[in-house]
Amino acid sequence: MSRAARLGAFFIAALTILVSGIFIIGGKQYLFSPTYRLSTHFSNVVGLDPGADVRIGGVHAGSVRSVELPSKPTDKITVWMDLDRSNQNIIKQDSLATIETEGLLGNEYVAISFGSAGGSNVADGGTIGSLPPLEMAALFKKADLILDSSQAALSNVTVVTANLSSISSKINQGQGTIGALINDKKIYSQLDQTTAGLRDTVIKAQAGVGDFQENMEALKSNFLLRGYFKNRGYDNSADLLKNQIATLPEGEPLKTFTFDSKQLFDKVDSAKPKNQKSLRAAGQFLADNEFGVAVIVVSTGTAGDMQKDLTLTQARAMVVRTYLVDNFGFDDTEVKTLGVGKKLGDDAGGWGKVEILVYPPETTVPSGPQSVTERR
């Protein structure tokens, strides 16, 4: 071979090597550095081509080796990637791959997320999960729908504004009820007079209620009608609940005093007391002994109106408490009442019973509601 032929062959070989090197470097095939291979799967690669970038945390770390279509319509597209082995400890089994775009119209690339610190490393030839890529066409379609909706909303606002303008114009012209009220002073004056009349009526009614209450208090003091209120044993029903409790305290009583209501009250349906001396033993016990709380429990027979019997037992309990507090020296804050109304087994000829339950020191009054029959 002549010298010229050898020189030509040398230049051709050098040019071939140079061109191959350019393609290899341009394809980022990591010819001179150790790599490992991973795969992932997508339903749509939105134009991703072999040779595209693979980035980890936004940093170039490899390239797409191939994009393989599935053999069945139900399978996904497989993307094979060659990655620099130096980042193998960053990618874990729980890392995820997604296809992203540089800008709005740039090239697609694969972005891989960092794995968790305690996750397992991926092996050469392994597979990681993926997230569906964002398709710009779908995004533009949604933007068009939003713009269409906005235009429809603006049209509705225009229609509403026109209607409000029409209504305002009619009101200014005195049309309709509101227009008449605003523009016709005579109608306004009549309405104002009617409102003033209603206000005066309400004031008079309130004054009448006040006068009625004052009259009732005066009647209570009237010599001829005083007996009516005394027959009930109390004047004000609000006093019945001042010392009322919801349920009995926990534990067993230290001492129990039991009386038939017939011993203490003059009528079967009255709280007017009689023979209160029967309560002296109970009062003396409270005065001579330390106790936590004493509860006066009153019940009626099973006949009669339930609500009336409940009020009657509350009144009787209050009357018994008043006698004990007024005649014996002890802390009256420790004496409570509990009118329970009807109670089976406590008929006592229709009169009912009165019980004084004395509980030991440090006993507290319960705060929660609970029936008496449940505690006894």
Side-chain angles (χ1 to χ4, degrees), residues 40-247:
T40 188
H41 304 282
F42 294 100
S43 298
N44 188 340
V45 295
V46 293
L48 182 72
D49 294 321
D53 266 0
V54 177
R55 301 179 185 179
I56 302 175
V59 178
H60 175 74
S63 62
V64 175
R65 181 177 182 84
S66 63
V67 180
E68 300 177 358
L69 289 172
S71 57
K72 299 179 182 179
T74 56
D75 294 339
K76 294 184 177 182
I77 299 172
T78 302
V79 176
W80 286 96
M81 301 167 287
D82 288 333
L83 302 172
D84 190 343
R85 190 172 294 278
S86 62
N87 57 54
Q88 191 169 4
N89 291 330
I90 300 176
I91 301 177
K92 305 291 183 178
Q93 293 285 355
D94 56 356
S95 295
L96 295 174
T98 186
I99 298 175
E100 298 184 6
T101 304
E102 293 179 330
L104 289 177
L105 302 175
N107 296 326
E108 285 74 20
Y109 65 91
V110 177
I112 301 177
S113 65
F114 293 155
S116 60
S120 303
N121 292 335
V122 290
D124 188 6
T127 302
I128 60 174
S130 64
L131 294 174
L134 177 64
E135 298 184 42
M136 298 305 299
L139 185 61
F140 288 142
K141 185 176 180 180
K142 289 182 180 179
D144 289 340
L145 292 174
I146 292 173
L147 289 175
D148 291 341
S149 299
S150 300
Q151 290 176 351
L154 288 174
S155 299
N156 292 334
V157 170
T158 302
V159 173
V160 172
T161 303
N163 290 337
L164 289 174
S165 177
S166 176
I167 294 171
S168 177
S169 176
K170 291 179 180 179
I171 291 174
N172 289 333
Q173 295 173 9
Q175 299 180 20
T177 303
I178 298 177
L181 289 173
I182 293 175
N183 294 278
D184 194 332
K185 294 183 178 180
K186 182 179 180 180
I187 295 178
Y188 172 80
S189 299
Q190 292 175 350
L191 181 60
D192 185 60
Q193 292 174 2
T194 302
T195 304
L198 290 174
R199 183 170 59 251
D200 292 341
T201 302
V202 172
I203 293 173
K204 290 178 180 179
Q206 291 175 342
V209 171
D211 292 341
F212 175 77
Q213 291 175 344
E214 291 178 0
N215 291 336
M216 289 301 296
E217 292 298 326
L219 285 173
K220 290 180 184 180
S221 302
N222 186 281
F223 175 78
L224 297 176
L225 296 177
R226 191 181 303 165
Y228 168 77
F229 294 99
K230 284 189 176 182
N231 286 337
R232 296 192 311 177
Y234 62 94
D235 293 339
N236 190 352
S237 59
D239 294 338
L240 305 183
L241 304 179
K242 284 184 178 179
N243 298 283
Q244 175 91 357
I245 60 175
T247 182

Side-chain angles (χ1 to χ4, degrees), residues 343-356:
K343 185 177 177 185
L344 295 177
D346 283 357
D347 189 86
W351 285 78
K353 291 184 178 181
V354 176
E355 292 180 290
I356 303 175

